[in-house]
């Protein structure tokens, strides 16, 4: 049997993308509540004010999870529900909400897997000291995390400290697509470094308090290929790795930054200050992690990019296939289309073999158990006249990725959990409600928010029931 008997078949979400009730229950505003209300920042002005209204309908959603037989549900806690101002007085109503959610999951034999930070920083901290730019955020984050451990740690045994710190800092501080919408490489590196410190300090705080659950963070991981065997493309791949995936993974899971990347950023004059004391803490935190979390969607094909080559020119957020332009870092590398792969309508490469390739790299480099905390296909879905969604494309996508997990496990990778993105359809930060990922369709169009099981729901149910033996 490839998958162990306690393998966690799961599905994931994030507070801002599903909860709604953005001004209810004593919640304070987050940077996303503000950003999504600014004109022109999100696809067609969509926001998470209501989203899936999961805040009021979580029992209905959990009943569907139970029906499916889901083993684990990964969700995030909104910091602003616990501490509306980021620090100071806690909000009893927010704590009560997550207690009710966790208790309902456990009552239905679903393991809660909790993300502490999925991008919704309290606006108060952005206003007070520019959020992630300030070292102050590290201790404020740790205090918030400790409060969550105290409130929920008796029942929650799986903690993901950060979700995709590489994405929210690069999109927020280089690409101007996430709040605070800056373009400043030095700030990107500095804010990312602060996430590493917050992660390490939180992991240490968890272990020092004697909790016995598992803790780690989730990195958005795109394994890379060189576009050709030419030396310049191979070099481009090396530099992409050293300033990309390995920059993120080594800092979290080794407690150091890769030398080539440090050299490059130092020469460029953008390397943040990293003290010896910080390195000690990063290493200590890394050594205490119980697993590596990865969110896997696609691989990267990388080619040489001359000094006067392409820079960042935007992302396909319209869902019009083929509209993604070439992106890169001049003088370092650029992303090119991988002609051997198919692409989604949002121009994301579909590459199940890349997942296996990536898992085996992680095993070799870090030798830790792995949790796949997100994997899924964003697609247009159609509700047919007989009130069904025949999402065979999603089933195919997930089946192939589960087969890749199987192959990696057979090659020695210790995989603890596989969470699809996502359980219900939800708000995509930059792509609105049309880009759907769920097993459960939500009627956003009429506003009824009615839940409807897609074909993939029944399919995943059978995958779970057979512990991965029956992939259909
Ligand atoms: C990950 C995030 O980056 O990918 C999720 O953790 C996100 O929050 C998911 O929704 C899919 O991305 P997108 O842009 O298609 O919504």
């Amino acid at each position: 049997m490839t998958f162990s008997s306690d393998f966690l078949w799961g599905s994931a979400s994030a507070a801002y993308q599903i909860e709604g009730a953005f001004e209810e229950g004593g919640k304070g505003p987050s940077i996303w509540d503000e950003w999504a209300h600014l004109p022109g920042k999100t696809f067609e002005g969509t926001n998470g004010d209501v989203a899936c209204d999961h805040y009021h309908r979580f029992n209905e959603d959990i009943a569907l999870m139970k029906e499916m037989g889901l083993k684990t549900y990964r969700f995030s806690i909104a910091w602003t529900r616990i501490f509306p101002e980021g620090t100071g007085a806690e909000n009893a109503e927010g704590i009560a909400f997550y207690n009710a959610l966790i208790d309902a999951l456990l009552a239905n034999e679903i393991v809660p897997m909790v993300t502490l930070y999925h991008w919704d920083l309290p606006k108060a901290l952005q206003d007070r000291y520019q959020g992630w730019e300030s070292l102050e955020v590290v201790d404020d984050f740790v205090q918030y995390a400790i409060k969550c451990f105290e409130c929920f740690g008796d029942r929650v045994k799986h903690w993901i400290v950060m979700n995709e710190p590489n994405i929210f800092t690069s999109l927020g501080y280089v690409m101007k697509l996430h709040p605070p919408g800056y373009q400043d490489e030095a700030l990107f590196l500095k804010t990312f470094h602060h996430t590493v410190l917050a992660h390490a300090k939180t992991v240490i705080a968890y272990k020092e308090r004697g909790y016995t659950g598992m803790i780690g963070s989730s990195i958005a991981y795109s394994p890379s290929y060189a576009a050709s065997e030419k030396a310049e493309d191979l070099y481009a791949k090396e530099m992409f790795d050293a300033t990309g995936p390995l920059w993120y993974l080594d800092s979290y899971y080794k407690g150091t930054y890769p030398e080539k990347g440090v050299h490059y950023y130092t020469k460029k004059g953008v390397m943040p200050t990293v003290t010896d004391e910080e390195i000690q803490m990063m290493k200590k935190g890394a050594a205490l992690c119980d697993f590596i979390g990865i969110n896997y969607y696609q691989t990267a094909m990388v080619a040489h990019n001359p000094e006067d080559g392409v820079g960042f020119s935007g992302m396909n957020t319209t869902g019009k296939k083929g509209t993604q332009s070439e992106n890169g870092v001049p003088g370092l590398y650029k992303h090119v289309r991988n002609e051997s792969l198919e692409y989604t309508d949002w121009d994301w490469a579909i590459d199940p073999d890349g997942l296996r390739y990536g898992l085996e790299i992680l095993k070799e480099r870090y030798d830790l158990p792995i949790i796949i905390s997100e994997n899924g296909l964003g697609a247009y879905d159609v509700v047919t006249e007989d009130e069904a969604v025949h999402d065979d494309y999603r089933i195919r996508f997930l089946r192939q990725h589960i087969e890749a997990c199987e192959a990696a496990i057979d090659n020695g990778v210790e995989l603890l959990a596989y969470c699809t993105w996502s359980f219900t359809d939800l708000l995509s930060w930059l792509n609105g409600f049309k880009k759907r990922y769920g097993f459960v369709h939500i009627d956003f169009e009429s506003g009824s928010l009615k839940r409807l099981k897609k074909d993939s729901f029944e399919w995943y149910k059978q995958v779970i029931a057979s512990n991965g033996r029956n992939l259909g």
Side-chain angles (χ1 to χ4, degrees), residues 169-183:
T169 53
S170 57
L171 269 64
Y173 294 90
V174 184
M175 300 173 194
K176 304 199 282 185
L177 294 173
H178 278 203
Y182 298 157
Q183 187 175 14

Side-chain angles (χ1 to χ4, degrees), residues 31-32 34-36 38-42 119 121 126 130 132-133 167-185 187-188 191 312 430:
I31 52 172
W32 267 95
E34 181 183 46
W35 181 257
L38 297 174
K41 297 299 186 195
T42 58
W119 308 352
L121 184 81
Q126 190 68 35
Q130 300 295 310
W132 288 105
E133 281 179 51
I167 297 297
F168 79 79
T169 53
S170 57
L171 269 64
Y173 294 90
V174 184
M175 300 173 194
K176 304 199 282 185
L177 294 173
H178 278 203
Y182 298 157
Q183 187 175 14
D184 182 329
E185 201 172 22
L187 259 191
F188 151 61
T191 53
F312 177 70
L430 299 177

Side-chain angles (χ1 to χ4, degrees), residues 17 118-119 163-164 295 297 348 374 421 428-429 431 435 437:
Q17 297 178 271
H118 204 126
W119 308 352
N163 178 70
E164 297 191 354
N295 295 348
Y297 289 91
W348 292 23
E374 289 181 29
W421 186 262
S428 169
W429 307 86
N431 310 287
K435 189 180 188 186
Y437 281 93

Side-chain angles (χ1 to χ4, degrees), residues 54 57-70 101 104-105 108 110 423 440 453 457 461:
H54 177 76
R57 305 182 195 216
F58 71 89
N59 280 311
E60 183 185 349
D61 292 338
I62 292 175
L64 286 164
M65 293 176 200
K66 169 75 176 169
E67 182 185 335
M68 178 187 257
L70 210 66
L101 179 64
L105 288 167
N108 287 288
I110 300 164
F423 185 70
V440 177
K453 289 177 275 172
F457 182 101
K461 182 177 175 178

